[in-house]
Amino acid sequence: MATETVPVPAPVMGLYDRPMWDSIATRRMALQKCSHCGMVRYPPGPVCPRCMSDDAEWTPLSGRGTILSWVVFHKHYLPAYPPPYNVVAVTLDEGPVMMSNLVGLPPAESWRGKRVAMQYEETGGGLILPRFALTQPTSGG
């Protein structure tokens, strides 16, 4: 039986999302950084949730972070993600928590607290998505 690659659904574009997705397409993800208090926010939005300033600039991310939490799904929810597949919550070094996937071999022990670096993966259909890989790979488990 032949398998066919199912494209990942296109991102939903809200009023403030286009600059973020444009930066991901160039493989240099940027987020809004408040010009008043310095908070980096994700997802993008109209005002800083800390100080309520509407003054922000788009700042490239370091691409580094720490796994806060993770899960491996064994049920099939979306056609583009056959099980098993993982989802990680990564606390970016700049502060925000971002959901994505871990690529490469998973940690043999707990994933929590593991350092990761952002990679960019082109999906079927040309969409580029930020993913994460361990910065010090371990044998899978």
Side-chain angles (χ1 to χ4, degrees), residues 51-63:
C51 72
M52 301 306 287
S53 171
D54 63 355
D55 191 16
E57 59 185 69
W58 289 90
T59 305
L61 298 175
S62 68

Side-chain angles (χ1 to χ4, degrees), residues 4 18 23 29 33 52 55 69 78 87-88 90-91 123 125 141:
E4 190 175 310
R18 172 108 14 235
S23 70
M29 185 174 177
K33 182 176 182 179
M52 301 306 287
D55 191 16
S69 187
L78 297 170
V87 176
V88 292
V90 173
T91 302
T123 67

Side-chain angles (χ1 to χ4, degrees), residues 73-127:
F73 286 96
H74 294 277
K75 184 174 176 169
H76 202 169
Y77 292 101
L78 297 170
Y81 293 94
Y85 67 95
N86 68 68
V87 176
V88 292
V90 173
T91 302
L92 300 172
D93 285 354
E94 292 81 3
V97 175
M98 181 177 165
M99 305 297 283
S100 187
N101 307 103
L102 186 70
V103 296
L105 290 176
E109 63 284 349
S110 175
W111 298 21
R112 194 170 196 285
K114 299 294 183 197
R115 293 288 296 164
V116 291
M118 192 177 290
Q119 296 184 349
Y120 297 91
E121 184 177 276
E122 188 167 343
T123 67
L127 179 64

Side-chain angles (χ1 to χ4, degrees), residues 4-75:
E4 190 175 310
T5 302
V6 177
V8 173
V12 175
M13 289 291 176
L15 291 174
Y16 305 96
D17 297 318
R18 172 108 14 235
M20 180 186 73
W21 284 103
D22 288 347
S23 70
I24 291 168
T26 65
R27 300 173 188 264
R28 186 75 174 126
M29 185 174 177
L31 290 177
Q32 293 170 314
K33 182 176 182 179
C34 178
S35 299
H36 181 73
C37 73
M39 180 181 182
V40 176
R41 61 183 180 255
Y42 176 80
V47 297
C48 177
R50 182 187 293 156
C51 72
M52 301 306 287
S53 171
D54 63 355
D55 191 16
E57 59 185 69
W58 289 90
T59 305
L61 298 175
S62 68
R64 293 181 175 78
T66 304
I67 296 176
L68 174 66
S69 187
W70 59 276
V71 65
V72 175
F73 286 96
H74 294 277
K75 184 174 176 169

